[in-house]
Amino acid sequence: MGDSFDRDKLVDCMFDPVTSQLLAELEDGPKECSHLAQKESIPESEVLERLSYLIEHGFVTRSGDRDTLAADPDKLDSVVADGANFDAAVSGLEKMDSYLN
């Protein structure tokens, strides 16, 4: 897990509607992958796929034989707090809005 990551890709991951719901679930503490899958009505493999970039770069950790996932709130907050990332997030939201309208 390196500190080097593609900021645009990270922001895209974080602001994806399903992934953001998964991250919101992890705000309350570690959760088993099966719980997240059930909550979002998606297969466990999709939970892991959606979080894979975040796991790869240490924003979410994966442990145990039951695939327990936990978010690193400090690391996630640092991305959102960075002005350049905020600009990228706004750009991503504008892009999402253009698809919806």
Side-chain angles (χ1 to χ4, degrees), residues 44-91:
E44 288 181 43
S45 60
E46 186 174 341
V47 169
L48 294 172
E49 181 181 323
R50 288 181 173 275
L51 295 174
S52 65
Y53 194 77
L54 298 169
I55 292 168
E56 179 183 343
H57 294 284
F59 294 94
V60 173
T61 58
R62 181 179 174 189
S63 62
D65 60 342
R66 293 187 173 269
D67 279 328
T68 301
L69 301 167
D72 182 335
D74 294 332
K75 196 165 182 177
L76 288 167
D77 286 346
S78 71
V79 171
V80 176
D82 181 359
N85 291 324
F86 182 75
D87 292 342
V90 169
S91 175

Side-chain angles (χ1 to χ4, degrees), residues 1-86:
M1 284 182 261
D3 289 324
S4 176
F5 54 88
D6 180 330
R7 291 185 190 287
D8 290 337
K9 186 170 182 173
L10 181 69
V11 169
D12 285 346
C13 288
M14 290 175 63
F15 287 96
D16 170 78
V18 174
T19 305
S20 65
Q21 284 297 112
L22 295 170
L23 289 172
E25 279 293 314
L26 294 174
E27 283 181 359
D28 297 331
K31 303 279 186 307
E32 289 182 2
C33 187
S34 59
H35 169 81
L36 296 171
Q38 182 180 17
K39 197 83 165 152
E40 291 302 310
S41 302
I42 59 176
E44 288 181 43
S45 60
E46 186 174 341
V47 169
L48 294 172
E49 181 181 323
R50 288 181 173 275
L51 295 174
S52 65
Y53 194 77
L54 298 169
I55 292 168
E56 179 183 343
H57 294 284
F59 294 94
V60 173
T61 58
R62 181 179 174 189
S63 62
D65 60 342
R66 293 187 173 269
D67 279 328
T68 301
L69 301 167
D72 182 335
D74 294 332
K75 196 165 182 177
L76 288 167
D77 286 346
S78 71
V79 171
V80 176
D82 181 359
N85 291 324
F86 182 75

